[in-house]
Amino acid sequence: MCGIVGYIGDQKAKPILLAGLKRLEYRGYDSAGVAFIKNGDFQIERTQGKLSCLVDKLAGKDFEATIGIGHTRWATHGRPDEINAHPHYSKDVVLVHNGIIENYKKLKDDLIIKGHQIESETDTEIICHLIQDFLNQGYDFQKAIRSALKELHGAYSLVILNRNDNQRIYCARKGSPLVLGFNNGENFVASDIPALLSHTNEVAFLHDFEMAVLEKTQVTFYDFEGNSIEKERQIIQWNMAQAEKSGYKHFMLKEIHEQPRVIADTLLGRVDLEKMNIWLDDAGRLMKKFVQKPDFHIHVVACGTSWHAGMVARYWIENLAKVPVSVELSSEFRYRQPLVGENTLVVAISQSGETADTLAAIRESKKMGAKVLSICNVIESSIPRESDVTIYTHAGPEIGVASTKAFTTQITVLYMMAVKLALQKKLLDDQDIQDRMKALVELPNILKTFLRQYKGLDMMTEYLRNKEHCYFIGRGIQYPIILEGALKLKEISYIHADGYAGGEMKHGPIALMEDGVPVVATLLKDDLYDKMVSNVQEIKSRGAFIMGIITQGDEDTKQLCDLYLEVPEASMDLLPFVSVLPLQLLAYYVADAKGTDIDQPRNLAKSVTVE
Ligand code: G6P
C-alpha cells in the first residue's frame, strides 16, 4: 500500500515528484524518499516520518535532474525508519516498490552468499541486488529486470532507474497497481491516479505481468518475456477529490471494494499451498509453545469492530483447534481481575494499534504473566510495540471511520491462526487441510464476484432510510457478524440498530416486533439454518419485515423473506466474509440515502487514544 511516482521529461523532477507524493499522502505514511540520476550517479534522499520531513530535507537543495522516482511507504517488512525507506539501491539499480515479496528471505540468503551487501530489513532491497546480480553476469538492463522478476514470488509494482542511462524509467507490475500518464515530451508513472492528474488525464493502466519503458517522448510496453504489446490509452474524467477515492463517492465505499485485494495481500506469503502449511513467523512459534501447555487458553481483548472480529475467531479456534477462547471488551478487562496468567495467550486486536483501552489491557495482561499476540494494521504503532509478537493485517490505510477492510483482514489473520493451531495440534487430516487452504486462497475471487454482481440492496435501502429502528439477527458464527452489521448501520446512518442471536429473540426482543419492524436476518445454508428459519418465522408472524441475506439460488428462503439479497456459496467456515460485505454495503447505502457524513460520522473517531 505504498505510493509511487516517477517522472521523465524536460522539467526538473524534484517538484513534480514531491507534488505527486503529496497527492498520495491522504493515505497516511511512515517514511518517504526520492532518487534522481545526475552525471551517471544516483542522488538518493530518504527520511522517516511524513512527507513533510522529506520536503524539509530537500528544501534549498537544487536537483537538476529531469528524471526521477519517489515513494511514500506504508511499512510491511521492517521498521519505518530511514534505512528501510525507499528508494532502495544496488550499484547500478535504484527502485521503488509496492507489494510484498514472499520468498525474499531465501533470495536474501542466496544473494548474501554471492557477496551482495544488504543494508535494510526490507524485501525491496533484495530486488535491486537480484537485478544487479544479472547485470553483473552481462545481461542488458531490461533482460536483467525480466530475469529477476521470474524469481520473485508475491505481489509487486516496481519503478526502476539505471545509473548508466538517464533516458529511461522501467516499470513492472504483478498484483499491485501502476498507472502511466502521457503528456507532450514528458511521461509519468504512479501507483494511483491523483499523483498524475494535475499533469495529464491521458493514462494507461499496467496489468499483471506487464512492463513499461518510459522515455521523454514515448512509452513502450512489454510482457514479461520481452515481447512488445499494445496498450490502450484512456481519458480520466475525475476531479482530484474523486481520484483520491478511486472514483468512489466515499472512502468507505472504496474500502469496501478493496476487500478482495487486501484479503489476498494478508494471505500472501502466509498460506503455503505447496507445503500445506500456514506461516506466521514469530507468532506461529509463540503459538507452538502455548499448544504444549496443558491449560492453554486464549483471551481476546479488543474494542468496537475489532471485538467483533475476536468473537468470530472464538468459533473457529474452539471448533478447529479445540483451544478455549474468551473474548472481552478491553475497557471491561482492564478494570476487573481477570484470571489470566502464564498459560494464557492474550490476543489483542486493533486496526490502529493505538486504542487506549486495548493498550491498557495488554499492560495488565503482561503484569499477570500472560504473553500478548497482537493483530494490527499499523506497523510500529503502540500496540505492536508493547506486544510480544504481532501479526500484521495488510489492509493498507483505512480512512473511513467505520471500519470495513480492517475487519475482514483481521478475521483473515484469525482464521489462519485457527488453522495453524489445529495443525500444530495435529487435529486436521491432509484432505481437511487442503480443502481449507484452497478455500482461503479462492476467497478473494468469490468476494470480488459478489461485489461486481450483487443485487437487491436498493429496495432494502429504500425501506430502511426513513426508519428509526432496525434489528439484526443471526446465529452461530453469524451472530458476531450481525452485531457488526448493526454497528455499521448505527455508526453511519444514525438509525438505532440492535443485533440479537436468533434464539434469544423470545427472551425479550420479540416484544418489540410489530407490523413493519425492519429485521435483517442472515439465513445462510449453514448448520443452524433450520433454527434460524424457525426464529424468523416466529417474528414474521408478529409482523416483522424480513430482509434476508441468503445463499444464492435458495428459492425456499426467498419465500420467507420480504426482501432478500443473495450471496455466493463459500465453504462453511468462510461464510462470515460473504455475509459481512452486504451488511457493510447496506449501512453505506442507507447512510448515503440519508446524506450523512459517511467517512466522518458525528461523535466518532478513527482511533480512540483516550479512555
Ligand atoms: C473506534 C473506531 C472503530 C474501531 C474501534 C477500535 O471506535 O471508530 O471503527 O473498531 O475504535 O479501534 P482499533 O483501532 O483498536 O481496532
Side-chain angles (χ1 to χ4, degrees), residues 249-250 457-458 460-466 492-493 495 585-596 598:
K249 192 169 174 191
H250 295 95
L457 265 188
D458 38 358
M460 289 190 186
T461 302
E462 207 38 50
Y463 190 79
L464 265 183
R465 60 184 290 185
N466 295 318
I492 58 171
S493 76
I495 292 173
L585 287 163
L586 178 64
Y588 173 82
Y589 283 111
V590 172
D592 191 41
K594 294 186 72 174
T596 60
I598 291 183

Side-chain angles (χ1 to χ4, degrees), residues 360-504:
I362 290 175
R363 290 175 185 154
E364 283 302 307
S365 309
K366 288 177 91 174
K367 266 194 231 154
M368 291 181 283
K371 291 274 183 227
V372 177
L373 182 161
S374 59
I375 296 172
C376 194
N377 193 37
V378 181
I379 209 161
E380 286 290 296
S381 49
S382 306
I383 287 175
R385 273 206 303 273
E386 298 208 16
S387 305
D388 293 290
V389 292
T390 300
I391 307 177
Y392 285 104
T393 51
H394 293 153
E398 192 180 59
I399 294 171
V401 165
S403 187
T404 51
K405 62 176 181 168
F407 176 76
T408 43
T409 52
Q410 284 166 350
I411 61 173
T412 303
V413 166
L414 288 159
Y415 186 69
M416 286 192 282
M417 276 180 66
V419 176
K420 182 75 184 174
L421 285 166
L423 287 171
Q424 289 171 333
K425 292 183 76 179
K426 302 199 177 9
L427 294 175
L428 301 177
D429 64 34
D430 288 353
Q431 189 59 51
D432 198 3
I433 301 168
Q434 200 165 348
D435 292 348
R436 285 174 193 284
M437 310 267 272
K438 278 201 181 137
L440 249 187
V441 172
E442 280 161 18
L443 178 67
N445 275 335
I446 294 177
L447 302 181
K448 204 189 278 178
T449 310
F450 168 75
L451 286 168
R452 256 200 312 261
Q453 298 176 350
Y454 69 85
K455 284 197 226 91
L457 265 188
D458 38 358
M459 284 194 289
M460 289 190 186
T461 302
E462 207 38 50
Y463 190 79
L464 265 183
R465 60 184 290 185
N466 295 318
K467 293 283 184 287
E468 283 179 22
H469 308 277
C470 180
Y471 299 92
F472 286 71
I473 62 169
R475 290 189 79 142
I477 202 163
Q478 292 300 328
Y479 172 50
I481 293 298
I482 57 93
L483 293 182
E484 175 61 10
L487 176 65
K488 287 291 86 95
L489 187 70
K490 71 186 125 192
E491 276 181 313
I492 58 171
S493 76
Y494 314 141
I495 292 173
H496 162 240
D498 264 336
Y500 293 101
E504 192 60 16

Side-chain angles (χ1 to χ4, degrees), residues 77-78 100-111 121-124 126 152-153:
H77 285 87
I100 298 164
I101 305 302
E102 291 178 75
N103 57 335
Y104 86 103
K105 283 199 187 110
K106 157 116 189 39
L107 294 171
K108 186 172 183 174
D109 292 346
D110 294 349
L111 287 163
E121 299 160 5
T122 63
D123 49 350
T124 305
I126 305 308
L152 302 179
H153 299 171

Side-chain angles (χ1 to χ4, degrees), residues 78 129 139 198 466 522:
H129 287 275
Y139 288 40
S198 52
N466 295 318
T522 48

Side-chain angles (χ1 to χ4, degrees), residues 303-306 349-355 358 383 398 401-403 410 487-488 491 604-608:
C303 302
T305 290
S306 299
I349 309 173
S350 174
Q351 185 286 130
S352 62
E354 299 296 346
T355 303
T358 304
I383 287 175
E398 192 180 59
V401 165
S403 187
Q410 284 166 350
L487 176 65
K488 287 291 86 95
E491 276 181 313
L604 295 179
K606 184 75 197 151
S607 165
V608 181

